[in-house]
Amino acid sequence: NEMNKILNFCFKKNKISRNEILKLINLHGDENLFELIDYCLAKNLSKVINIINNNSFNKSDAIILIRSLISRLKRLIELKRLYTQANNVDEAINAYRPLIFWKDKETLKKQMGIWSIDRLYVLLDKVIFLEINLKKNSEFSNNIIFDLILNTSTESNS
């Protein structure tokens, strides 16, 4: 993708400067799709926008994002269930299997505080419906998934 950008830019030019190349290429290519989902569920809109703007996504990324979102939602639902049993966020996170990596625990605590189990189920239904539709027609898949991610990042907690 980055080479195509450079080649398209150079189509009418014989020379390209280093600064022009730096503007064209994806400087944040290492941004993780999972981080995008985590920031979305943590309602960190500025991070979500930053990741979307600083990366180039292809059509297959939309399916990866949807599957990741479904996985994260199922994990959050199970954590909320464990929380209702233990009535302690740390105990719920420690009881979850497979074990949660220490770096993810604070993000999960924030997400658990934001989302009710009912709202998680509503979002899960919405994402599954979206996945089915994207598999039927993937022409605008990135636009549709990013719209869902941005709307989820900004929707109120009520």
Side-chain angles (χ1 to χ4, degrees):
N1 285 337
E2 305 307 315
M3 287 302 295
N4 285 334
K5 284 184 198 175
I6 294 169
L7 290 172
N8 288 333
F9 185 79
C10 292
F11 186 68
K12 294 182 180 179
K13 288 178 101 175
N14 289 335
K15 282 188 171 184
I16 185 169
S17 72
R18 183 177 192 277
N19 287 338
E20 290 171 319
I21 289 175
L22 291 176
K23 287 180 185 177
L24 290 171
I25 63 173
N26 188 0
L27 297 177
H28 301 282
D30 292 339
E31 292 282 6
N32 195 324
L33 296 177
F34 297 115
E35 286 177 341
L36 178 59
I37 299 303
D38 285 337
Y39 288 132
C40 167
L41 293 174
K43 296 194 178 283
N44 189 334
L45 183 61
S46 63
K47 293 279 190 180
V48 167
I49 290 171
N50 191 33
I51 291 173
I52 290 172
N53 287 337
N54 290 323
N55 287 280
S56 58
F57 296 94
N58 57 44
K59 287 183 180 181
S60 65
D61 290 332
I63 295 297
I64 294 169
L65 285 167
I66 287 175
R67 297 304 308 158
S68 300
L69 185 52
I70 290 170
S71 173
R72 293 287 204 254
L73 287 170
K74 287 180 177 179
R75 178 173 72 174
L76 264 177
I77 289 168
E78 182 59 28
L79 282 167
K80 292 294 276 189
R81 282 191 191 137
L82 290 170
Y83 174 72
T84 57
Q85 294 170 358
N87 209 20
N88 182 303
V89 173
D90 290 318
E91 285 181 27
I93 289 173
N94 291 332
Y96 183 81
R97 296 294 180 260
L99 293 175
I100 294 170
F101 192 53
W102 65 270
K103 290 190 328 185
D104 297 331
K105 289 183 180 183
E106 287 305 313
T107 302
L108 279 169
K109 286 179 187 178
K110 182 173 184 174
Q111 292 170 353
M112 287 175 69
I114 291 172
W115 293 92
S116 71
I117 198 161
D118 293 334
R119 288 183 53 243
L120 287 168
Y121 276 116
V122 168
L123 182 57
L124 182 61
D125 287 343
K126 195 184 297 185
V127 174
I128 290 170
F129 179 76
L130 180 68
E131 179 185 27
I132 292 166
N133 287 326
L134 286 182
K135 286 180 177 178
K136 291 178 185 175
N137 180 8
S138 66
E139 186 175 345
F140 300 108
S141 57
N142 283 352
N143 294 352
I144 295 168
I145 187 65
F146 292 143
D147 186 50
L148 174 75
I149 288 171
L150 289 168
N151 286 336
T152 300
S153 300
T154 59
E155 85 180 11
S156 70
N157 290 332
S158 56

